[in-house]
Amino acid sequence: MPTLTKLYTMQEAAQHNTPQDCWVVIDGKVYDVGSYLDEHPGGDDVILATTGKDATDEFEDAGHSKSAREQLETFFIGELDLSATVIPELEISSKKQADYTQKLKDLTKQYWAVSVAIAGVSVVGFLYLRKK
């Protein structure tokens, strides 16, 4: 019979990011390591820097021993709910696009003479070089 564990979203785990209440996510598992912060050989700031994101790479890069990995399991409180991935809310850009379009129209009206002057100089230059 499978063991049932509590599922947490990354957002839930990220809310526990203080020295008094600190959770980390490693290999899809959620650990409450708040009581261990003072004992961590690397200092509490190393652990606190990994809250709110997947800390698997940081944990693996540190080269933790077998006993450290076993000790980590004593802080296990649940698993990361991978089905609850957050889809970022789409930004409606019609207003921004309208603002951009209006700015472009304003700039075109303001600087139309520049493009006409460039075209005029080009034509005069072409005609001048053609006579030579």
Side-chain angles (χ1 to χ4, degrees), residues 43-118:
D44 62 351
D45 57 331
V46 174
I47 296 175
L48 288 170
T50 62
T51 60
K53 62 178 185 166
D54 187 340
T56 303
D57 290 340
E58 288 86 347
F59 183 80
E60 295 298 333
D61 290 347
H64 287 95
S65 65
K66 182 178 177 185
S67 63
R69 293 172 186 278
E70 290 170 356
Q71 186 177 16
L72 178 65
E73 290 305 315
T74 65
F75 300 107
F76 176 79
I77 59 169
E79 294 183 8
L80 192 62
D81 185 2
L82 299 176
S83 66
T85 55
V86 175
I87 299 172
E89 190 175 315
L90 294 176
E91 184 179 320
I92 299 174
S93 63
S94 61
K95 184 178 181 196
K96 286 186 176 182
Q97 189 173 7
D99 290 344
Y100 176 75
T101 304
Q102 186 60 42
K103 286 181 184 178
L104 186 61
K105 287 179 182 177
D106 292 343
L107 287 173
T108 304
K109 289 177 187 175
Q110 186 176 356
Y111 294 108
W112 68 271
V114 173
S115 53
V116 170
I118 292 172

Side-chain angles (χ1 to χ4, degrees), residues 18-61:
T18 66
Q20 297 76 27
D21 181 27
C22 181
W23 294 6
V24 294
V25 176
I26 300 171
D27 286 326
K29 295 181 179 179
V30 181
Y31 301 93
D32 182 353
V33 294
S35 62
Y36 180 68
L37 289 179
D38 292 336
E39 300 172 32
H40 186 257
D44 62 351
D45 57 331
V46 174
I47 296 175
L48 288 170
T50 62
T51 60
K53 62 178 185 166
D54 187 340
T56 303
D57 290 340
E58 288 86 347
F59 183 80
E60 295 298 333
D61 290 347

